[in-house]
């Protein structure tokens, strides 16, 4: 069942672009680990915040990805840039009106 992680990462003053650079480095191993989408964005109204939207094949795939060497290295590099003001939501995706192949997953599988 598809798993979504949508969150915000607060950065120390002036560190937003440095964090974006780390997050946008190519990591082809994420696709192999079950990542379907990984989007990074900013909003100039909140200059010290980075927004991340992730879709994964499962919550387990997401959790397992955190043990990948490249992901661990990126986390270590990013940690000093973070303010600790992070937020977000994790949820199971039920479907999408953009997919014709079963836009909604069965409630029985939840």
């Amino acid at each position: 069942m598809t798993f979504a992680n949508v969150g915000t990462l607060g950065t120390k003053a002036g560190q937003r672009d440095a964090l974006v650079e780390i997050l946008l480095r190519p990591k082809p191993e994420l696709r192999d680990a079950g990542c379907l989408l990984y989007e990074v964005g900013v909003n100039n109204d909140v200059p010290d915040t980075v927004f991340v939207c992730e879709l994964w094949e499962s919550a387990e795939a997401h959790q397992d990805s955190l043990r990948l060497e490249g992901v661990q290295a990126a986390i270590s590099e990013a940690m000093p840039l973070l303010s600790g003001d992070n937020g977000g939501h994790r949820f199971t995706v039920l479907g999408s009106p953009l997919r014709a192949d079963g836009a909604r997953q069965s409630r029985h599988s939840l």
Side-chain angles (χ1 to χ4, degrees):
M1 194 167 302
T2 307
F3 171 77
N5 185 29
V6 180
T8 57
L9 299 169
T11 67
K12 294 177 181 172
Q15 296 300 315
R16 181 186 78 181
D17 292 344
L19 179 61
V20 166
E21 188 270 323
I22 293 167
L23 295 175
L24 289 180
R25 287 185 194 145
K27 292 178 192 64
E29 66 271 25
L30 289 180
R31 186 175 310 282
D32 294 337
C35 187
L36 305 171
L37 174 90
Y38 193 100
E39 299 291 332
V40 177
V42 297
N43 177 334
N44 287 331
D45 290 340
V46 281
D48 295 320
T49 301
V50 176
F51 298 83
V52 179
C53 298
E54 304 172 60
L55 286 180
W56 292 85
E57 290 175 357
S58 67
E60 294 78 18
H62 174 258
Q63 193 62 38
D64 290 346
S65 75
L66 298 176
R67 291 189 283 278
L68 295 171
E69 186 177 320
V71 172
Q72 283 289 314
I75 290 170
S76 294
E77 188 177 357
M79 289 300 287
L81 307 176
L82 300 176
S83 67
D85 186 19
N86 304 326
H89 300 279
R90 297 173 176 200
F91 56 92
T92 300
V93 175
L94 298 180
S96 169
L98 301 177
R99 290 194 309 258
D101 63 334
R104 186 177 173 105
Q105 295 181 13
S106 168
R107 288 189 172 268
H108 300 291
S109 66
L110 302 176

